[in-house]
Amino acid sequence: MQQIYLEHSIAEHEQTAKILQRFPRAHITRIEHFGEVFNPRAQNFRLQKKSPALILARKQGKRILTAPAGYGLGGKHNYYFSHMQNCAYDCRYCFLQGMYRSAHYVLFVNYEDFLADIQQQTQLNPHESSWFFSGYDCDSLAYEPVSQFARSFLPHFAEGPAWLELRTKSTQIRSLLQQPAQNNVVVAFSLSPEPVIQALEHGTPALQKRLSAIQRLQQHGWRVGLRFDPIIYDADYRSMYQTFFQQVFQQLDGHSIHSASLGAFRLPRNFYRNMLHLYPEEPLLAGPLSEHQGMMAYSGDLEAQLLDYCEQQLLQYIHTEQYHPCQY
Amino acid sequence: MKHNNIRIKKTATLTPVTQHDLYIVCALDAEARPLINHFKLKRLPQHSAWPVYQNPQGVRLIVSGMGKSHSAAACAYLFASTGGETGHGILLNIGLCGHAEHERGHLLMADKVIDYHSGQSWYPALVIRPQCGYTHLFSFEQPQTSYPAAGMIDMEASGFYSSAIRLTSAELAHCIKVVSDNKRQSSSDLNPALASELISRQMPSIIEIIQQLEKTQARLPTPWNRQVFDTLCAEHRCSVSQQHQLKRLLLRWQALGGAATVMDALAPCKSMQDLLRQLETELHQQSLGLSIN
């Protein structure tokens, strides 16, 4: 990390000190609020993505948000939170490219405030299941060596009753393997066929490495979820996804998976337009997409065909109770 | 007129690129002289508002005069009058500055540009790692005899930056300064020859910074092909909205490989409306053949 922006308000925070120790050669610029650097219009996400800076900040205001309707794994109360904005990976389909103007990593170091809010939210419904989803605006584990997010948060979920989902493509699982597995935590891996990883998920671990990480976590007792989202169209998608599901479930026991979900590639229209501006040469964005109710998605019945086919393949390996289709 | 003549191979869709897409604003002729010499810039006689220099490789330079407003206006003038494309150019303010501590001749870049009087500030996006390092740069209305701010001080940067940031992105707009005076060595002995010499001595580092920025700039998408667009618009009457639609579809055509067969299929179209419909259909068919492998 070459450049770190430091909010005055967290300059003396314990977490900040630990992070700064890791980057003794970084140039540090003090700022009042992360928005001064992160929000200005005249920034190019594509140019910054090659060499993003790290912004250490305090998350103010509402830290825990209600998940959209249809999002969840069967729990009654679903929330999401983001201890970080932006991701260490560079997936060409990712909505963050269209949502943010900057590719800098914003890391909110005031974990204690997030945890207090989670506790408060859980206490509102003490007898019903509350799920907290992490990894919406970032990968939950990819930045773990720096952020120590999982290491800091997991102990607070040990007593229940709240559930936590860590969404990741990362194989940074050391902190999970160094502590006992927790029943109310699901480590949800996003998986794609290797050709999709090669073409679109730049900087992410290969499929085989993700599968090996899943196996190690399962052996250690952690609950693992599988997220097949986004499903990407290819002229030969049937063969590609058939081979993919075979490969995944040759290595993993489908019935021991906590949950699986499927969702086709889709983006809010405004994000899509921003991404098209950044990557006009990207074939994915020139694909057979059309707009429906403010979302760009595969046109006509193509999306239904894709999802039906993949669902049919997936349900050969898991029970329907384990399956949670993505709805939007 | 049929447009069979727009059979274009994918490689031909790339607009010829100049070696540079660089705009430099200097306050004084003496600061500009080493850059003019290095890039072999020629003065453009048609510009009388400010001295403007250019070379065939795409380096442009303007001598703005001292002060924030001159710098802001000259920056915009240079960009607009020499055909800059918004969001693509590298815009630099290169010149001398004061700094309380650093030695005369020391080179620095700005990590934050602050208008001292208004308090307004800008953060250039630091995507390169220059050897010289970064520090804050404060712009004043008047020459300073003391050093009231912790960083570089000058009279142009905030004007330049407020203008530059409307023309390009923060990764490509930067202020590069050479220290001319400090607490121990005042600017009283500064003359044009010494000013040029101070900049000259740092030219290798300045060129290295420009090269790093050009590597960053090269990651921008290739400018889209106007040739096909212009040909199609010339052949069919079209509204502004249809022009936007055509541009979107041609970008998509380019992303899908720019197959000549798509253009062939448009030949029978009698109007822009027909052409857009046909192009959309062709591209949809082509996108169904997209293969990730």
Side-chain angles (χ1 to χ4, degrees):
Chain A
M1 186 57 62
Q2 297 179 357
Q3 172 65 28
I4 297 176
Y5 293 97
L6 190 59
E7 263 189 13
H8 284 298
S9 64
I10 49 82
E12 306 303 325
H13 196 281
E14 185 189 353
Q15 192 70 15
T16 302
K18 285 183 194 167
I19 293 167
L20 293 181
Q21 270 179 5
R22 289 185 62 94
F23 303 111
R25 297 183 61 205
H27 176 76
I28 296 171
T29 305
R30 294 286 191 111
I31 53 176
E32 286 301 321
H33 186 265
F34 78 93
E36 291 174 65
V37 176
F38 195 71
N39 292 340
R41 279 179 64 84
Q43 300 191 80
N44 187 300
F45 192 100
R46 179 173 175 156
L47 296 186
Q48 285 186 11
K49 192 67 193 172
K50 292 292 171 192
S51 183
L54 173 61
I55 304 174
L56 299 178
R58 178 184 296 281
K59 178 72 175 173
Q60 312 271 13
K62 211 164 163 57
R63 284 174 281 265
I64 309 295
L65 300 160
T66 305
Y71 192 93
L73 298 170
K76 182 143 191 193
H77 304 282
N78 297 298
Y79 308 98
Y80 70 96
F81 65 97
S82 300
H83 70 287
M84 189 168 168
Q85 291 179 183
N86 274 325
C87 178
Y89 302 135
D90 188 16
C91 299
R92 197 53 67 244
Y93 53 69
C94 180
F95 72 96
L96 295 175
Q97 303 164 105
M99 187 164 81
Y100 295 137
R101 291 174 180 137
S102 168
H104 296 328
Y105 307 150
V106 182
L107 181 60
F108 298 112
V109 298
N110 54 325
Y111 293 169
E112 65 283 0
D113 294 328
F114 282 93
L115 290 164
D117 289 356
I118 287 170
Q119 192 179 13
Q120 195 180 17
Q121 202 70 48
T122 308
Q123 282 167 353
L124 292 177
N125 308 291
H127 305 298
E128 293 168 326
S129 64
S130 290
W131 278 81
F132 293 89
F133 293 88
S134 145
Y136 180 78
D137 291 332
C138 66
D139 184 292
S140 296
L141 296 179
Y143 214 51
E144 181 67 13
V146 176
S147 70
Q148 301 284 297
F149 162 69
R151 190 180 293 278
S152 307
F153 273 59
L154 288 174
H156 296 269
F157 281 82
E159 303 302 318
W163 286 73
L164 174 68
E165 183 191 272
L166 301 170
R167 177 76 72 98
T168 192
K169 293 187 177 93
S170 172
T171 53
Q172 298 279 1
I173 55 172
R174 188 179 301 167
S175 59
L176 297 177
L177 297 177
Q178 285 174 346
Q179 55 187 300
Q182 293 173 220
N183 264 338
N184 56 341
V185 173
V186 176
V187 189
F189 276 80
S190 297
L191 299 180
S192 297
E194 189 59 37
V196 172
I197 293 174
Q198 292 292 325
L200 301 174
E201 298 182 356
H202 307 301
T204 64
L207 175 61
Q208 188 50 51
K209 288 194 171 168
R210 291 185 218 178
L211 294 175
S212 301
I214 292 171
Q215 284 179 314
R216 292 180 69 194
L217 286 170
Q218 283 189 314
Q219 283 160 10
H220 199 75
W222 288 97
R223 291 174 187 261
V224 171
L226 303 180
R227 307 290 174 253
F228 304 105
D229 184 10
I231 297 287
I232 301 290
Y233 174 78
D234 178 88
D236 200 17
Y237 73 84
R238 287 182 176 81
S239 162
M240 183 170 76
Y241 277 100
Q242 185 185 31
T243 308
F244 167 60
F245 285 115
Q246 276 172 0
Q247 188 185 352
V248 169
F249 291 107
Q250 262 169 13
Q251 283 193 244
L252 307 176
D253 171 16
H255 298 145
S256 69
I257 294 296
H258 170 269
S259 54
S261 59
L262 266 180
F265 172 56
R266 72 275 181 198
L267 284 168
R269 180 188 56 193
N270 291 344
F271 297 176
Y272 169 81
R273 283 187 179 167
N274 293 340
M275 288 162 63
L276 200 57
H277 182 69
L278 288 171
Y279 297 97
E281 78 283 17
E282 173 54 55
L284 173 76
L285 303 175
L289 303 167
S290 62
E291 187 193 333
H292 182 63
Q293 294 182 334
M295 294 292 281
M296 296 297 292
Y298 289 123
S299 322
D301 58 356
L302 198 58
E303 182 183 89
Q305 285 173 28
L306 253 178
L307 288 175
D308 286 351
Y309 181 79
C310 290
E311 194 174 278
Q312 187 194 325
Q313 293 294 313
L314 175 62
L315 290 174
Q316 289 178 27
Y317 304 102
I318 64 166
H319 297 304
T320 47
E321 308 84 68
Q322 295 169 282
Y323 175 54
H324 300 272
C326 296
Q327 297 163 350
Y328 67 92
Chain B
M1 186 173 73
K2 298 294 175 202
H3 42 258
N4 287 337
N5 58 334
I6 53 168
R7 280 177 165 275
I8 291 168
K9 289 180 188 167
K10 192 181 176 190
T11 48
T13 62
L14 304 178
T15 305
V17 288
T18 49
Q19 201 180 333
H20 303 281
D21 187 11
L22 175 61
Y23 303 81
I24 301 170
V25 179
C26 295
L28 303 171
D29 182 75
E31 293 169 323
R33 201 46 55 188
L35 293 151
I36 292 168
N37 293 339
H38 176 85
F39 289 113
K40 298 184 172 56
L41 304 177
K42 298 277 179 253
R43 185 162 179 177
L44 301 181
Q46 64 270 36
H47 298 283
S48 56
W50 282 279
V52 173
Y53 299 80
Q54 190 170 359
N55 71 11
Q57 288 75 42
V59 180
R60 296 90 160 174
L61 182 147
I62 193 165
V63 180
S64 66
M66 286 171 72
K68 292 183 281 189
S69 56
H70 285 143
S71 191
C75 174
Y77 180 84
L78 177 69
F79 195 80
S81 65
T82 56
E85 189 185 346
T86 309
H88 278 79
I90 296 172
L91 275 72
L92 301 177
N93 173 216
I94 301 177
L96 299 176
C97 72
H99 191 288
E101 307 301 334
H102 279 295
E103 291 299 321
R104 175 177 273 183
H106 193 89
L107 184 75
L108 288 161
M109 285 181 77
D111 64 352
K112 182 178 183 180
V113 178
I114 305 127
D115 187 294
Y116 191 81
H117 291 94
S118 71
Q120 198 178 353
S121 59
W122 299 263
Y123 292 89
L126 311 182
V127 290
I128 62 165
R129 182 78 174 194
Q131 284 189 343
C132 64
Y134 294 104
T135 191
H136 291 1
L137 171 53
F138 297 84
S139 292
F140 288 81
E141 303 280 358
Q142 302 292 332
Q144 301 297 304
T145 48
S146 62
Y147 299 89
M152 299 181 274
I153 59 171
D154 82 344
M155 291 172 61
E156 287 82 29
S158 66
F160 161 80
Y161 211 84
S162 65
S163 183
I165 210 65
R166 289 172 180 271
L167 307 171
T168 195
S169 63
E171 299 75 29
L172 301 178
H174 289 278
C175 300
I176 304 171
K177 299 282 174 175
V178 178
V179 176
S180 61
D181 53 277
N182 54 41
K183 274 180 178 171
R184 300 172 299 279
Q185 203 164 11
S186 80
S187 58
S188 58
D189 63 337
L190 204 60
N191 56 43
L194 180 57
S196 289
E197 192 190 326
L198 289 172
I199 300 283
S200 282
R201 280 193 219 147
Q202 288 295 353
M203 276 306 288
S205 300
I206 292 170
I207 297 305
E208 196 187 319
I209 290 166
I210 290 171
Q211 286 168 347
Q212 284 191 47
L213 289 171
E214 285 179 337
K215 277 186 191 161
T216 300
Q217 184 188 36
R219 297 188 193 114
L220 287 169
T222 310
W224 76 294
N225 174 32
R226 278 200 70 93
Q227 188 194 349
V228 179
F229 175 84
D230 290 340
T231 309
L232 293 174
C233 286
E235 288 178 8
H236 303 280
R237 287 180 63 179
C238 58
S239 65
V240 173
S241 146
Q242 285 175 324
Q243 284 183 21
H244 288 307
Q245 208 181 336
L246 180 62
K247 183 180 172 185
R248 271 201 304 275
L249 290 172
L250 288 177
L251 278 169
R252 196 173 160 207
W253 169 66
Q254 211 165 301
L256 290 169
T261 50
V262 173
M263 290 298 131
D264 293 344
L266 303 180
C269 294
K270 299 275 187 262
S271 68
M272 183 54 78
Q273 200 178 356
D274 283 350
L275 187 144
L276 292 171
R277 200 180 300 124
Q278 184 65 29
L279 184 53
E280 182 111 48
T281 308
E282 288 291 327
L283 292 177
H284 182 70
Q285 286 306 316
Q286 205 177 45
S287 68
L288 291 175
L290 260 185
S291 184
I292 286 167
N293 287 301

